[in-house]
Amino acid sequence: MSANDEKEVEAMIEYSMKALTADELSFKVNHIQAAPDTKFEIKPMFSRQIRHANENPKINIVMLECKIESTEDSPKPFNLLARFVGVFEVQNMNTEEDRRFFAINATETMFPFLRAAVANLTADALINPLTLPVVSGATLFPDDRGGAQYTLNLDPKVVN
């Protein structure tokens, strides 16, 4: 067997989601004095944390969060927090490239659930539903983008 054949035999990373939980879902109306035609700039902030379970290194916990917060500088008509926790079993994650691959794919697996929760929270609050755009897991976080750049833009005409 040649060295090239040995490289091909190396196992590729494999993962499967074992559980997904909505860790926190919250919506709060902010009573802001504004003219009826005022447009608010809604820019969701996304965060992700990935850690290994102490008792089993094959288990990875992924927390994916979307937050919208009103500040004095940038008032918003509401505050929103949607946080999901996914439990993944991962095999053959040995290199930094494997870790990046897993982070991107775990984000792509969980993001539709986060996106639906944001739309449902806003709809349940009896405001126009905030529908986050469909995005690739590789474009949501700067660390994952590599050479590709992407900015999440929401049309303020679509959001109350």
Side-chain angles (χ1 to χ4, degrees), residues 75-105:
K76 311 273 186 306
F78 60 86
N79 289 352
L80 179 142
L81 175 63
R83 181 183 311 126
F84 280 80
V85 175
V87 178
F88 292 83
E89 184 175 351
V90 184
Q91 306 282 337
N92 306 318
M93 186 164 60
N94 302 315
T95 66
E96 280 306 311
E97 187 57 34
D98 289 344
R99 288 184 233 322
R100 182 176 176 273
F101 176 83
F102 171 69
I104 290 169
N105 286 285

Side-chain angles (χ1 to χ4, degrees), residues 37-62:
D37 60 343
T38 301
K39 302 289 183 198
F40 293 98
E41 187 176 26
I42 307 294
K43 285 191 173 180
M45 302 291 289
F46 296 96
S47 66
R48 175 186 65 205
Q49 294 178 4
I50 300 174
R51 59 184 174 81
H52 300 287
N54 291 336
E55 62 280 358
N56 184 349
K58 291 182 181 179
I59 300 297
N60 283 261
I61 313 297
V62 180

Side-chain angles (χ1 to χ4, degrees), residues 118-137:
V118 169
N120 289 334
L121 276 171
T122 51
D124 289 347
L126 303 177
I127 65 170
N128 287 341
L130 174 60
T131 304
L132 300 175
V134 176
V135 295
S136 159

